[in-house]
Amino acid sequence: LIMSCPSVLELFELLQVEALRLVCERPAPPLCARLCQLLGDFPQCLPRGRKLSLAFCQQLVRSIAHFQSQGSREAELRLYVSQVTQVSGLLRSVWKAEPDTLLPSLQELFAVISAADTSFEPSVALASLVQHIPLQMITVLIRSLTTDPNVKDASMTQALCRMIDWLSWPLAQHVETWVIALLKGLAAVQKFTILIDVTLLKIELVFNRLWFPLVRPGALAVLSHMLLSFQHSPEAFHLIVPHVVGLVQYFKRDGLPSSTAFLMQLTDLIHCMMYHYSGFPELYEPILEAIKDMPKPTEEKIKLILSQSAWTSQSNSLPSYLSRLSGKSETGKTGLINLGNTCYMNSVIQALFMATDFRRHVLSLNLNGCNSLMRKLQHLFAFLAHTQREAYAPRIFFEASRPPWFTPRSQQDCSEYLRFLLDRLHEEERTLKALSSAKSSGSIMNEESQTQEAVHKAQVFAEAPCMGSEERTLIEKMFGGKLKTSICCLNCKSMSQKEEAFTDLSLAFCPPTSLENVGPKCMEHSEVKDDDVVQANTLTTSPAGETPLDSLEINGGCDTGMNEGTIKELSTEPNSESTINSELNKVQDNGDMSQRLVGKNTLSVTDLLNYFLAPEILSGDNKYYCEKCASLQNAEKTMQIIEEPEYLILTLLRFSYDPKCHIRRKILDNVSLPLVLELPVKRATSPLAVVSGGWSVGAEVSESGENLAKKLKPSGADEVTCPQLVPYVLSSVVVHSGVSSESGHYYSYARNVTGSGPSGFCNPSTALSLVSPQDKLLTEESPCTVVENELDTEMPREWFLFNDSRVTFTSFQSVQKITSRFPKDTAYVLFYKKQNSSCGFNPSSANGLWVNGDPPLQKDLMDAITKDNKLYLQEQELSARTQALQAASASCSFRPNGFDDNDPPGSCGPTGGGGGGGFSTVGRLVF
């Protein structure tokens, strides 16, 4: 009727005002829906003009906030939803017709849901508006919202909680997109307090929404983001753990394709969380049983998901005035803060941490109530694995593990530190075992007698010629091997033999003179200084606090600067200077190897190992005293590895003391590092006639012929042995940058090598092939070298560079080329892992509860890590707020790369770590 009226335009103006008045009265859903339908049919009645239309939209938003359903039956709920849809549809039409009204409407919407008035709870029906907001606006809106200083934390928390409640609204689209965007935006500006509060408050509600098919997709998306980003504590995950089994069983009973698909997504999420928080077997066992039939994501996939989801990885949304986030790097690995020339410790600790089987053994030890060095190492490993920090400060461990003769805040030899650390851990465990045994065997004994008994047992352990695997210490199991030294009198052919245990082999560089002349070559008399690098390293039985005995290097003259020996026996005084007469002759059988080395530009680790194991002729001033001949005789000395370690540690003897110049020269020769190394092991077929005491000081004797003759007694004929080539894969490389052991910088390359070792690297028949003693001890080209390039290409980004606080991805090619790119950066200590060996450590044991391969952490360790992670997030939030205030008050220019170009705190000097930092300028090297 009105449409045909002559005064229709005047009536429209009246109806526009009337429609605005009606909306301001907060009509109930039925009336509001009828009004919106009428206005939809007659858009001429919609309020016109920017002021009226804006007021209309804002009031309509307020009206929707007051909507409440009149019933709980399905028919009533369907009617209610359709009424709300009618109202939100009208708003969408207005926003399209007049885009200027959209932003004020959204501001009104945020004002409603962020209000702190507890007497009024806005309706979930507001969720119906979200689907009409263009997704292109997400970035701008979220950024302005999260960086607005006028929006208080309490208001933001309230708004976010109510937006999460919107997940309950059926048919709502894009709610999860906006919720996740806001969560990421808050993480980007490091407002972690809000995120923690909201997650703990709403995680159970979000999980319960998974029971309802209509809202399940959005709820699962938000649940996944909340759980995967909440990585500092298991608290949020453990809130939903009790409800998981019931939901999984419901999905299985349902049997619908959609339910099966959601179940697979849910199980992937659960596996990620159990991987990240593996220390709660009693909670996870029912879940593992419920999802045992479902496919499990790979460890690589889990790590990728976790690294991309953490709050500290949401740096893309950062406003330009904020500096780069200092959370964990994209590698997921944690750096170690330099405490003042402590890079020698940091590089060694990272190499040990990346020795997967050793790390898992350390983390699995039950050391509650123990204040041992192993306990401190366990604490350090746990933090490296689970902290949210970019880098961890190992102050407690450093103070506990620093050798007493190391001067604080001065550079030291990392191999000396490694040897001292392993020796301490070994001695400590053996002493604790002896004490435990003494206490359990005689509770009626007084304290003094118990101590005496413990000392006696420790001596018995040390002197035992061979121990069962259960009696060996962890260091012995992981790094312990055995060398057999044989001396054969060339006159009467009698043989003296001696076994000695080692934790690492020190490889001297082949002297050029020994390669040019196949015939006998006499070594010059040379002095051995107290600070020389060790040649053969054994665990000692020195009491706690006493300086462990070090073996010493035989050095050439000042003009060559080369190491002149294979493995030499040890001086019994670590700080004594002794003059050693020794003569080195390589046998004729090894001439082909010597000739081969002469023509090569680059030595390889294989060459150095060949030289280490090559026979030596004792003659001239270094003749051997043969008891059978009762006189000094020429003799042949050979060394064989008779028991291989799980982890083979090789130290390249780059520092040789020059007695004429009184300095320690560094050998800068490039050494190629094989990815796969075959170690010749000659296992004896009969027991030794004379075996000296295991891990004892007996392995360390003077090199003079007479003393050696007394130590090594004739044993008759040699056993018939055949070398077996045991394959090893490269695990870690510690690099020294500089020209002196007293200066420069250490960093390390490492990769994950699992307990079983990468399979299929070598043909088993090749790896186990037997060669005659006359053949070359190590082949020039390992049968495994063909696949070395494939190993690195098959597993991209598996190598890491640990340079104090910085951890980055790298490649094996970078490891190989480091010395050619940076001449003073040379490989120093190498870790090789025995292939296809699990060290008797089965990660899949305990009913599969070790979901990430690492054992579950003990409660006190997990609590300490959780506490520190919360503290870290608070520090980050405070820092971000401070920077935001500074940026708002004054314009600050930050360097594009943050402060990475500076040396880390307490670094090894302005030019330390040339290659490690990836710098191409020579100025970064040590001079």
Side-chain angles (χ1 to χ4, degrees):
L1 291 174
I2 291 177
M3 293 300 289
S4 58
C5 179
S7 57
V8 63
L9 293 178
E10 296 177 9
L11 291 173
F12 280 155
E13 290 179 2
L14 291 174
L15 288 171
Q16 289 171 11
V17 176
E18 185 64 15
L20 179 58
R21 184 192 63 79
L22 193 57
V23 169
C24 290
E25 292 178 354
R26 311 283 178 261
L31 176 57
C32 195
R34 286 169 55 197
L35 173 64
C36 290
Q37 183 178 0
L38 180 66
L39 294 176
D41 292 339
F42 299 95
Q44 301 92 332
C45 299
L46 280 169
R48 298 290 176 180
R50 188 177 187 281
K51 189 174 181 180
L52 282 181
S53 61
L54 185 55
F56 177 79
C57 289
Q58 290 175 328
Q59 291 304 319
L60 200 53
V61 169
R62 291 272 177 184
S63 295
I64 297 175
H66 284 78
F67 283 1
Q68 299 296 334
S69 174
Q70 302 301 314
S72 58
R73 289 181 300 186
E74 184 178 346
E76 293 170 328
L77 292 174
R78 284 182 179 276
L79 179 61
Y80 174 61
V81 170
S82 66
Q83 291 167 350
V84 173
T85 304
Q86 187 86 41
V87 178
S88 64
L90 180 67
L91 261 178
R92 174 176 174 270
S93 302
V94 176
W95 289 344
K96 286 190 72 174
E98 299 187 47
D100 289 347
T101 60
L102 175 57
L103 196 56
S105 300
L106 297 181
Q107 290 171 339
E108 188 72 18
L109 174 62
F110 183 78
V112 170
I113 61 176
S114 62
D117 185 6
T118 55
S119 62
F120 169 67
E121 186 63 31
S123 172
V124 182
L126 288 169
S128 61
L129 299 178
V130 174
Q131 59 190 319
H132 304 311
I133 306 172
L135 289 176
Q136 299 92 321
M137 297 182 66
I138 281 187
T139 305
V140 176
L141 288 177
I142 295 298
R143 178 173 294 189
S144 63
L145 196 59
T146 53
T147 57
D148 187 348
N150 297 317
V151 178
K152 305 302 180 187
D153 285 2
S155 300
M156 183 64 75
T157 302
Q158 190 73 270
L160 187 52
C161 285
R162 285 167 173 163
M163 285 177 68
I164 291 172
D165 290 339
W166 292 351
L167 291 170
S168 306
W169 184 255
L171 307 181
Q173 298 174 7
H174 309 313
V175 171
E176 70 278 6
T177 307
W178 283 90
V179 170
I180 292 172
L182 185 53
L183 291 171
K184 287 184 175 182
L186 290 169
V189 294
Q190 303 182 21
K191 293 187 176 179
F192 301 122
T193 303
I194 299 175
L195 293 169
I196 292 172
D197 292 345
V198 170
T199 302
L200 295 178
L201 200 61
K202 291 295 181 180
I203 192 82
E204 289 178 281
L205 180 141
V206 175
F207 185 84
N208 288 334
R209 297 283 78 80
L210 297 179
W211 290 88
F212 307 102
L214 276 177
V215 298
R216 188 177 294 154
L220 185 59
V222 173
L223 179 74
S224 298
H225 180 81
M226 292 175 84
L227 285 178
L228 291 171
S229 60
F230 198 92
Q231 292 186 16
H232 68 283
S233 162
E235 194 175 356
F237 178 51
H238 288 176
L239 285 174
I240 68 161
V241 161
H243 314 298
V244 170
V245 174
L247 186 64
V248 168
Q249 292 172 344
Y250 167 75
F251 280 150
K252 286 184 175 180
R253 287 195 306 269
D254 194 16
L256 295 174
S258 59
S259 297
T260 305
F262 277 117
L263 179 58
M264 292 184 67
Q265 294 178 52
L266 180 64
T267 53
D268 280 0
L269 173 64
I270 296 301
H271 275 300
C272 283
M273 299 315 299
M274 291 193 298
Y275 175 96
H276 193 59
Y277 297 113
S278 59
F280 305 90
E282 73 284 357
L283 292 178
Y284 301 159
E285 193 164 12
I287 298 177
L288 283 170
E289 181 64 27
I291 62 176
K292 62 183 180 182
D293 301 328
M294 302 299 297
K296 180 182 176 181
T298 63
E299 188 171 349
E300 290 72 22
K301 180 181 177 183
I302 290 175
K303 287 180 177 179
L304 180 65
I305 292 172
L306 287 170
S307 66
Q308 292 175 344
S309 305
W311 286 334
T312 48
S313 68
Q314 311 301 329
S315 55
N316 292 335
S317 304
L318 271 176
S320 57
Y321 57 77
L322 288 181
S323 67
R324 184 181 60 82
L325 275 167
S326 58
K328 257 190 178 179
S329 71
E330 60 174 345
T331 63
K333 302 295 180 186
T334 305
L336 286 170
I337 294 173
N338 193 312
L339 305 175
N341 284 321
T342 58
C343 57
Y344 66 89
M345 176 190 72
N346 291 349
S347 58
V348 164
I349 292 301
Q350 294 287 16
L352 289 173
F353 178 79
M354 294 297 287
T356 308
D357 288 337
F358 176 64
R359 178 183 73 245
R360 290 174 178 174
H361 274 86
V362 170
L363 291 175
S364 68
L365 294 173
N366 186 3
L367 300 172
N368 284 334
C370 178
N371 194 31
S372 63
L373 183 61
M374 183 64 82
R375 172 65 172 173
K376 293 179 174 65
L377 181 64
Q378 184 185 58
H379 187 274
L380 176 54
F381 277 6
F383 268 81
L384 283 177
H386 296 283
T387 184
Q388 292 270 294
R389 296 181 183 273
E390 179 186 32
Y392 179 72
R395 291 184 178 86
I396 296 174
F397 185 80
F398 172 66
E399 291 302 325
S401 66
R402 178 175 60 85
W405 62 91
F406 275 18
T407 306
R409 306 192 71 81
S410 64
Q411 187 59 281
Q412 305 292 342
D413 188 331
C414 78
S415 69
E416 188 179 0
Y417 173 79
L418 172 62
R419 200 168 308 111
F420 175 80
L421 176 61
L422 296 182
D423 186 65
R424 274 278 308 277
L425 293 171
H426 162 74
E427 287 296 326
E428 183 182 81
E429 182 179 350
R430 196 171 59 185
T431 303
L432 289 174
K433 282 183 176 179
L435 283 170
S436 175
S437 175
K439 287 180 181 178
S440 60
S441 62
S443 57
I444 59 172
M445 297 168 64
N446 60 35
E447 187 174 340
E448 183 179 350
S449 60
Q450 282 184 16
T451 305
Q452 292 174 352
E453 178 75 9
V455 172
H456 173 70
K457 284 181 177 289
Q459 292 172 348
V460 171
F461 281 139
E463 294 165 5
C466 57
M467 290 184 274
S469 60
E470 68 280 351
E471 293 177 340
R472 300 171 71 202
T473 65
L474 177 58
I475 301 303
E476 289 175 296
K477 292 174 184 175
M478 292 288 106
F479 305 104
K482 281 188 180 177
L483 275 173
K484 183 177 74 173
T485 304
S486 303
I487 298 182
C488 177
C489 174
L490 296 180
N491 182 41
C492 67
K493 304 301 181 184
S494 64
M495 181 78 71
S496 297
Q497 295 180 336
K498 172 181 164 57
E499 278 188 15
E500 53 189 345
F502 67 87
T503 50
D504 71 304
L505 299 177
S506 295
L507 307 182
F509 282 73
C510 321
T513 51
S514 70
L515 301 181
E516 294 165 5
N517 304 315
V518 179
K521 184 233 173 225
C522 296
M523 285 181 59
E524 299 295 331
H525 294 192
S526 58
E527 294 183 0
V528 180
K529 294 296 180 182
D530 62 316
D531 57 349
D532 284 348
V533 180
V534 295
Q535 281 271 0
N537 313 299
T538 64
L539 291 177
T540 71
T541 55
S542 58
E546 186 177 316
T547 303
L549 303 176
D550 284 341
S551 48
L552 304 174
E553 173 190 349
I554 306 301
N555 303 290
C558 177
D559 53 337
T560 62
M562 284 291 196
N563 306 85
E564 293 277 6
T566 56
I567 185 168
K568 298 300 176 185
E569 300 300 345
L570 315 174
S571 167
T572 55
E573 289 296 332
N575 296 321
S576 67
E577 295 187 12
S578 57
T579 302
I580 296 176
N581 300 326
S582 178
E583 197 170 19
L584 177 75
N585 293 320
K586 295 296 175 185
V587 293
Q588 296 289 340
D589 290 339
N590 231 39
D592 57 339
M593 182 191 78
S594 302
Q595 295 298 329
R596 187 178 72 245
L597 294 180
V598 171
K600 290 185 64 174
N601 293 326
T602 302
L603 290 171
S604 72
V605 174
T606 302
D607 297 328
L608 301 187
L609 202 49
N610 279 332
Y611 179 67
F612 176 87
L613 294 172
E616 174 188 356
I617 298 299
L618 304 177
S619 61
D621 291 342
N622 200 33
K623 281 185 177 180
Y624 161 67
Y625 181 84
C626 176
E627 290 191 355
K628 190 172 181 180
C629 299
S631 62
L632 292 171
Q633 297 289 339
N634 289 343
E636 180 186 80
K637 177 182 175 182
T638 58
M639 284 187 303
Q640 300 167 348
I641 298 170
I642 59 173
E643 187 177 307
E644 74 278 13
E646 292 297 334
Y647 284 95
L648 175 66
I649 302 177
L650 301 175
T651 302
L652 308 187
L653 293 178
R654 293 190 173 275
F655 303 111
S656 62
Y657 182 76
D658 185 339
K660 295 179 182 178
C661 307
H662 299 290
I663 59 171
R664 290 181 71 186
R665 293 180 179 272
K666 180 179 178 182
I667 301 169
L668 296 172
D669 295 6
N670 191 10
V671 177
S672 66
L673 310 177
L675 195 56
V676 180
L677 178 73
E678 290 183 320
L679 186 72
V681 180
K682 295 190 177 183
R683 297 187 176 91
T685 56
S686 61
L688 291 177
V690 175
V691 181
S692 82
W695 298 80
S696 67
V697 222
E700 306 182 7
V701 297
S702 171
E703 182 58 27
S704 67
E706 187 175 355
N707 289 340
L708 190 61
K710 293 175 182 175
K711 292 283 182 182
L712 303 178
K713 301 183 182 301
S715 63
D718 190 10
E719 302 93 8
V720 179
T721 60
C722 292
Q724 175 179 331
L725 296 178
V726 179
Y728 281 80
V729 292
L730 186 61
S731 170
S732 303
V733 180
V734 179
V735 175
H736 177 262
S737 173
V739 294
S740 165
S741 62
E742 288 82 20
S743 63
H745 180 59
Y746 290 101
Y747 55 92
S748 55
Y749 293 95
R751 64 169 176 161
N752 288 312
V753 179
T754 57
S756 58
S759 58
F761 281 9
C762 300
N763 186 324
S765 61
T766 306
L768 300 176
S769 62
L770 302 178
V771 295
S772 64
Q774 289 76 24
D775 290 341
K776 291 175 286 186
L777 295 173
L778 284 170
T779 55
E780 167 62 12
E781 290 190 5
S782 162
C784 303
T785 54
V786 182
V787 294
E788 284 189 7
N789 291 332
E790 297 175 12
L791 297 182
D792 202 56
T793 54
E794 285 175 3
M795 292 171 280
R797 298 164 79 86
E798 66 166 349
W799 280 92
F800 303 94
L801 169 57
F802 296 92
N803 194 343
D804 286 336
S805 301
R806 294 190 291 272
V807 186
T808 54
F809 284 116
T810 186
S811 65
F812 183 59
Q813 283 75 21
S814 298
V815 183
Q816 289 175 312
K817 296 175 182 176
I818 186 65
T819 305
S820 59
R821 291 176 58 229
F822 303 96
K824 294 178 176 59
D825 290 31
T826 52
Y828 185 34
V829 180
L830 314 176
F831 285 68
Y832 279 88
K833 171 72 178 73
K834 188 162 76 171
Q835 196 174 321
N836 299 324
S837 166
S838 62
C839 312
F841 202 63
N842 186 6
S844 61
S845 60
N847 299 322
L849 296 177
W850 292 15
V851 285
N852 64 343
D854 280 358
L857 292 184
Q858 291 156 17
K859 186 177 184 301
D860 60 332
L861 270 180
M862 181 59 78
D863 289 346
I865 292 168
T866 300
K867 182 179 179 181
D868 184 70
N869 282 341
K870 287 182 178 178
L871 177 63
Y872 164 71
L873 292 177
Q874 291 169 1
E875 292 169 359
Q876 292 293 94
E877 182 171 359
L878 181 61
S879 173
R881 289 174 186 272
T882 304
Q883 289 181 2
L885 288 172
Q886 291 172 346
S889 59
S891 63
C892 302
S893 66
F894 288 81
R895 286 197 285 177
N897 295 324
F899 300 97
D900 275 1
D901 287 343
N902 290 341
D903 286 313
S907 73
C908 302
T911 55
F919 303 103
S920 58
T921 56
V922 182
R924 297 292 298 188
L925 298 176
V926 182
F927 291 94

